[in-house]
Every structure is written in structure tokens, then in C-alpha cells.
Amino acid sequence: WKWFNDLRTKGMTVTNRSKPRRHGSVVVYDSALVETARWNFYDAWPSKIEFASLEASANEVAVETITLQYEKLERKK
């Protein structure tokens, strides 16, 4: 959230263009906690965060969706 909020409030200007970009990974594990898939992303920034609507009487999992823009994506597994 801090990463997204900093971009939203400070913007991505020419002077701080490289600072808000980050590298990272999205990793999928099976039920035995063994890694089954990995995507590495480079020079990424969050462009949107969405929250599912919550209903007090529902028995559902809350879902948060984060959209990342990236310069490069690699599938490793």
C-alpha cells in the first residue's frame, strides 16, 4: 500500500522515475508448500488497487487485486 500511495501522492516524474520501480516475484506453492510456478518482474510499479465489496452478512473471503505495470516479465518454472 505504501508503494502505491507514494506513487499516487508524489507521482512518477522525470527526477524520481527509477525510484518507484521495483523488481519482484509472484510465486505459486502447492499444498505441501513446494514452489510450482514463479514469475519474476522487473522495473514494475503498481497502477491500480481494487477491493472487493464487503458485506457483513456474507461468509466470503475478502479479495484485493493489485495491477502491476512492468518492463520485463520472466516465467522461471
Side-chain angles (χ1 to χ4, degrees), residues 51-65:
F51 303 95
S53 60
L54 299 175
E55 188 176 325
S57 62
N59 190 16
E60 299 173 352
V61 175
V63 176
E64 181 179 31
T65 303

Side-chain angles (χ1 to χ4, degrees), residues 3 7 10 12-13 15-22 44:
W3 184 23
L7 279 172
K10 297 175 186 171
M12 190 168 12
T13 64
T15 56
N16 73 346
R17 189 169 203 88
S18 63
K19 187 176 180 182
R21 296 182 183 214
R22 310 252 173 93

Side-chain angles (χ1 to χ4, degrees), residues 17-30:
R17 189 169 203 88
S18 63
K19 187 176 180 182
R21 296 182 183 214
R22 310 252 173 93
H23 306 318
S25 300
V26 175
V27 184
V28 177
Y29 295 94
D30 65 14

